[in-house]
Amino acid sequence: MKILLIEDEPELRKSIKQYLHQEGYLVESAADFIKASEKAFDYDYSCILIDITLPKGNGLDIVRQLKQRNSKAGIIIISAKNSSDDKITGLDLGADDYLAKPFDLAELNSRIKALIRRRNFDGNKAIVINEITIVPEERAVTVNNQPVILTAREYDLLLFFITNKSRVVSKNAIAEHLWGDESDQMDSHDFIYVHLRNLRKKLSDKGCVDYIQTIYGIGYSFKAS
Amino acid sequence: MRLINKTILYYLLISFPLLIIAGFFSYFLIKGELQDGVDESLAKERLNAIHLINSFSRPQSVNASFDSLSGIKLAKNEKAGEVFSDTSIYDTAEQEFVPYRVLKSYYRSNSNNYLITIAKASFEQEELMEGLLSAFVLIIAFLVAAFFIVNWLISKALWKPFHKTLSELGTYDIRKHDYHKFESVNTAEFNELNIALSKMTEKIHSDFLQQKEFTENASHEMQTPLAIAKANLSLLMQSSNLKEEEMDQLQTIENTLKKLSALNKSLILLTKIENNQFHKKAAIDLKEITVKALENYSDLIQAKNLKIETGFSAGFTIEMNPVLADVLISNLLQNAIRHNKAGGVIQVSSAPNTFSISNSGEPLTIHEEELFVRFKKNDASKDSLGLGLSIVKTIISHYNHTIAYSYTDGKHTFTITHP
């Protein structure tokens, strides 16, 4: 699966590229507006990540160009300007998602996966990990073919873990994923633990292996072969 | 008090005693003059009487017909000289006492002594006196009135440019600076004032723009380096051979980065509100927003085992930006959750004119006035940024509403009221 990353900051480009590469994506990148619009025209990507402020042009114009030629690529805007105007303009132009800098790479990964899933590129609507099956369209989870009733937060937490499978996910990244901007004001991660405990219990009640490992000091990791 | 009223008051204070003194002076002056006139005519009458006495063939007394006083009498004693005096006689016709001026003088003729008494009713003089005095008072009153009216009119005309400048200053908004506001006028002092004000406001405005641009740029420029640091930290966390100590350090770095980016976001938000960048407005019912937010925070509320008590008698509506309304309520609620004690209570009440959120908790360790000041925070909550309530205050003030804080019965209460 190919992803085009349009970002002018070399260091950020490098680390995003590295993270997504580890996720198994083929990542192409462009550092300015001209190169970006060339690449966006030349190839078909599953997903294009676009920074708004670019040398030699505005990222929103690339969104316009892509929409004009009916590109099927999913578009995620990544911007340093967390402005509702930019967000609305971007989404109105046809971008699928908007992520404000600074973001967590795990969050970016989960947005890309959610987008690709929605566009159904791999033709398979369910996510299956050993005994766990998730149907994102219905927000339904089954373990060993028995339905598991999860709260909205527990479901989001499980999906976030599975999306970032085998990755170390920090508590801050989880808080940001579950509560968004509101997590800025939270000074404790106790409530993550409460949701996690409930999730673990509901899964193990149906005979699920505990895949969620606690990583000392940092957070958690969903480890499944 | 207006300058013009003050000037007039001072004029009055000074002119009253002066006018009274002048009135007294003229009263006695006129009175003296009139009396001199009467006395002269009495002296003249006396000469007539002397003529009459000299023409007497035998000594006799004569009574004047016109009043009961005047007359020539034979006197026994032998005095000389003349005495003027004032008296009054009851006039039976008029049925009142009438003032008289009386001249008594002794005259010796042909070895007979005569007392000549000449009386003259002085009511004419009194009336003349009264007439003169009332004319005088009228003229003075007219002059004073005319003086004040003219003064008032002149003052009004003279100070007109000043009042114009004042009203322009009153409506001056640094965000909508207008360079042509303080026009030149033909009074030198006011012109200088306007020139000075124009210069001053231009300077303030350009400083304001620079400041605004700086805050905006600085905050935005900070986002990318933060993003780079955060991204690299995520990559580093994936490393499989980290020691516990290193993981602790990573955690500390991550928490610090989170705080830094939260701080930055809050500052950008504050700047945006102050720069008037949230244009969209709608009638927002804070009650509805609160109900949604309470639902959203239910896990946080449960984690602290807090009790929610709501008293919604009616909605509380503000014409404001929907995004800012969410920020406002979430900041207030987060404040109420954060500074609550375990098992405490949060009370939210809404009425057409007041909206309040209160929470149980320890009393403040800082001054109440410092509560809404940026970066001022209660020691107990070291992890907080110290910007939440300052954002609340900025939003409330932006829409010309007021928010008040109080602490009673172990409860902190924030009350929002319409202007």
Side-chain angles (χ1 to χ4, degrees):
Chain A
M1 216 165 292
K2 255 162 86 173
I3 289 178
L4 175 61
L5 167 64
I6 304 169
E7 165 63 57
D8 59 324
E9 192 60 47
E11 291 296 334
L12 192 58
R13 204 164 58 230
K14 201 177 119 198
S15 40
I16 295 176
K17 226 171 150 175
Q18 192 184 335
Y19 195 95
L20 295 181
H21 187 73
Q22 287 170 2
E23 283 293 313
Y25 296 109
L26 259 167
V27 186
E28 292 272 330
S29 65
D32 65 44
F33 182 82
I34 295 165
K35 282 208 186 95
S37 52
E38 273 172 23
K39 286 204 170 168
F41 265 94
D42 284 351
Y43 306 99
D44 280 324
Y45 296 94
S46 312
C47 181
I48 303 180
L49 309 174
I50 304 176
D51 185 11
I52 291 186
T53 36
L54 286 174
K56 299 170 196 169
N58 188 318
L60 290 175
D61 289 330
I62 296 175
V63 181
R64 276 192 198 99
Q65 290 172 6
L66 286 168
K67 287 294 147 186
Q68 260 168 23
R69 60 178 197 109
N70 298 318
S71 161
K72 285 195 174 62
I75 300 168
I76 298 176
I77 293 171
I78 45 175
S79 170
K81 276 191 190 170
N82 185 13
S83 105
S84 47
D85 285 347
D86 274 359
K87 190 172 177 174
I88 292 164
T89 317
L91 297 180
D92 277 353
L93 286 175
D96 298 277
D97 209 343
Y98 182 99
L99 197 53
K101 287 180 192 172
F103 48 79
D104 202 283
L105 291 180
E107 183 62 33
L108 176 66
N109 185 32
S110 94
R111 302 278 185 110
I112 293 171
K113 286 214 171 133
L115 178 56
I116 289 173
R117 250 194 333 264
R118 280 207 301 277
R119 304 206 152 224
N120 206 8
F121 281 108
D122 42 7
N124 186 359
K125 285 185 180 179
I127 305 165
V128 181
I129 301 207
N130 300 343
E131 65 268 47
I132 308 173
T133 305
I134 300 179
V135 186
E137 270 191 341
E138 296 159 26
R139 291 177 73 90
V141 179
T142 54
V143 170
N144 296 324
N145 294 323
Q146 306 164 75
V148 183
I149 309 301
L150 297 179
T151 64
R153 295 257 201 255
E154 288 158 6
Y155 172 82
D156 287 341
L157 187 60
L158 178 64
L159 191 59
F160 191 60
F161 275 133
I162 287 174
T163 310
N164 289 289
K165 195 176 59 151
S166 308
R167 294 279 184 173
V168 175
V169 190
S170 75
K171 288 176 205 155
N172 282 330
I174 295 171
E176 214 176 298
H177 180 74
L178 294 188
W179 284 276
D181 275 349
E182 317 274 6
S183 71
D184 285 354
Q185 308 288 328
M186 296 176 176
D187 43 1
S188 133
H189 292 130
D190 295 350
F191 42 87
I192 294 179
Y193 181 73
V194 173
H195 290 305
L196 188 64
R197 194 185 55 199
N198 295 341
L199 175 64
R200 270 176 165 153
K201 190 173 181 301
K202 284 182 184 175
L203 291 178
S204 64
D205 280 354
K206 307 286 177 193
C208 183
V209 178
D210 186 8
Y211 295 110
I212 304 163
Q213 287 183 11
T214 305
I215 307 295
Y216 175 83
I218 299 174
Y220 305 94
S221 185
F222 191 94
K223 295 253 163 85
S225 48
Chain B
M1 194 186 264
R2 284 189 163 277
L3 185 66
I4 171 111
N5 295 345
K6 243 179 169 165
T7 321
I8 286 179
L9 187 75
Y10 279 125
Y11 274 131
L12 276 177
L13 283 178
I14 294 165
S15 56
F16 252 123
L18 283 179
L19 283 176
I20 288 168
I21 292 168
F24 266 107
F25 264 108
S26 31
Y27 174 77
F28 288 112
L29 220 71
I30 293 167
K31 198 178 174 178
E33 286 296 320
L34 286 173
Q35 211 160 57
D36 283 354
V38 175
D39 292 355
E40 253 173 58
S41 75
L42 286 177
K44 229 176 164 184
E45 290 287 324
R46 180 180 158 265
L47 286 180
N48 288 340
I50 289 172
H51 260 293
L52 190 66
I53 292 169
N54 288 339
S55 67
F56 283 165
S57 45
R58 55 180 178 87
Q60 58 175 324
S61 291
V62 179
N63 270 332
S65 58
F66 42 85
D67 61 57
S68 53
L69 272 178
S70 303
I72 301 166
K73 276 182 195 153
L74 281 164
K76 285 167 194 136
N77 58 342
E78 202 176 305
K79 281 190 234 160
E82 22 187 61
V83 180
F84 286 99
S85 66
D86 290 306
T87 185
S88 48
I89 298 164
Y90 190 76
D91 187 321
T92 41
E94 298 272 332
Q95 290 202 331
E96 61 178 9
F97 284 97
V98 173
Y100 276 82
R101 182 78 175 162
V102 182
L103 168 64
K104 284 187 172 169
S105 89
Y106 293 91
Y107 184 73
R108 189 176 168 79
S109 169
N110 302 330
S111 69
N112 289 315
N113 285 323
Y114 293 93
L115 167 64
I116 307 171
T117 308
I118 297 160
K120 202 171 175 125
S122 60
F123 59 83
E124 279 171 15
Q125 280 73 36
E126 290 282 315
E127 270 166 17
L128 189 62
M129 186 75 204
E130 270 169 28
L132 275 175
L133 271 180
S134 33
F136 175 79
V137 168
L138 267 177
I139 289 169
I140 293 292
F142 177 74
L143 272 179
V144 168
F147 170 77
F148 287 145
I149 290 168
V150 168
N151 219 356
W152 190 73
L153 287 175
I154 289 176
S155 184
K156 223 178 163 175
L158 278 179
W159 286 93
K160 203 176 171 184
F162 180 77
H163 287 298
K164 192 163 177 252
T165 305
L166 254 193
S167 77
E168 274 159 10
L169 258 187
T171 56
Y172 178 75
D173 184 351
I174 198 161
R175 287 171 187 84
K176 303 170 204 139
H177 183 73
D178 183 357
Y179 287 96
H180 307 290
K181 268 202 142 174
F182 303 105
E183 294 157 2
S184 65
V185 290
N186 53 20
T187 313
E189 285 86 346
F190 295 146
N191 207 28
E192 277 167 35
L193 176 72
N194 282 359
I195 290 169
L197 281 176
S198 294
K199 272 189 190 157
M200 197 183 82
T201 49
E202 266 164 48
K203 174 91 180 84
I204 292 173
H205 183 67
S206 79
D207 285 356
F208 167 75
L209 284 183
Q210 265 176 28
Q211 184 78 31
K212 185 174 130 176
E213 215 177 290
F214 175 79
T215 324
E216 238 177 300
N217 290 348
S219 303
H220 281 139
E221 287 305 315
M222 245 186 278
Q223 300 287 66
T224 308
L226 277 172
I228 295 169
K230 214 168 168 181
N232 281 289
L233 197 65
S234 290
L235 288 172
L236 189 56
M237 276 179 192
Q238 309 307 324
S239 173
S240 55
N241 45 10
L242 290 172
K243 289 189 219 122
E244 284 199 349
E245 199 188 326
E246 291 163 337
M247 286 172 162
D248 277 337
Q249 288 163 347
L250 278 182
Q251 182 62 34
T252 309
I253 297 172
E254 210 210 9
N255 284 339
T256 314
L257 272 181
K258 181 195 159 187
K259 213 166 158 181
L260 201 57
S261 71
L263 198 65
N264 205 30
K265 268 192 232 165
S266 301
L267 285 176
I268 292 176
L269 178 69
L270 274 169
T271 317
K272 273 185 179 170
I273 300 168
E274 280 163 6
N275 291 353
N276 222 348
Q277 283 172 286
F278 289 93
H279 309 290
K280 218 175 95 187
K281 265 192 191 177
I284 306 282
D285 186 355
L286 292 189
K287 186 190 91 186
E288 284 170 22
I289 306 258
T290 309
V291 171
K292 264 186 245 159
L294 281 172
E295 174 63 38
N296 194 29
Y297 291 135
S298 58
D299 39 10
L300 299 185
I301 291 164
Q302 271 167 25
K304 236 174 166 172
N305 200 16
L306 302 175
K307 216 173 111 197
I308 304 293
E309 293 169 3
T310 51
F312 295 141
S313 71
F316 180 86
T317 308
I318 301 185
E319 188 79 17
M320 69 186 297
N321 183 284
V323 177
L324 291 184
D326 284 338
V327 173
L328 172 73
I329 292 302
S330 67
N331 272 306
L332 279 173
L333 277 183
Q334 279 179 8
N335 188 69
I337 297 170
R338 183 201 296 274
H339 300 289
N340 222 318
K341 53 186 183 194
V345 65
I346 295 178
Q347 293 169 328
V348 190
S349 72
S350 159
N353 293 315
T354 54
F355 178 88
S356 70
I357 293 185
S358 37
N359 65 280
S360 47
E362 294 301 312
L364 290 181
T365 55
I366 55 166
H367 284 295
E368 274 182 32
E369 309 85 65
E370 292 177 327
L371 204 57
F372 295 107
V373 176
R374 286 182 196 188
F375 302 117
K376 285 277 179 194
K377 47 189 180 183
N378 236 13
D379 302 338
S381 52
K382 283 189 183 119
D383 281 332
S384 93
L385 296 173
L387 282 174
L389 287 177
S390 150
I391 290 172
V392 165
K393 175 88 178 174
T394 309
I395 294 174
I396 289 290
S397 309
H398 187 72
Y399 293 105
N400 300 321
H401 278 60
T402 41
I403 184 159
Y405 165 82
S406 66
Y407 185 79
T408 39
D409 301 333
K411 277 187 205 108
H412 303 273
T413 306
F414 291 93
T415 310
I416 302 171
T417 43
H418 289 305

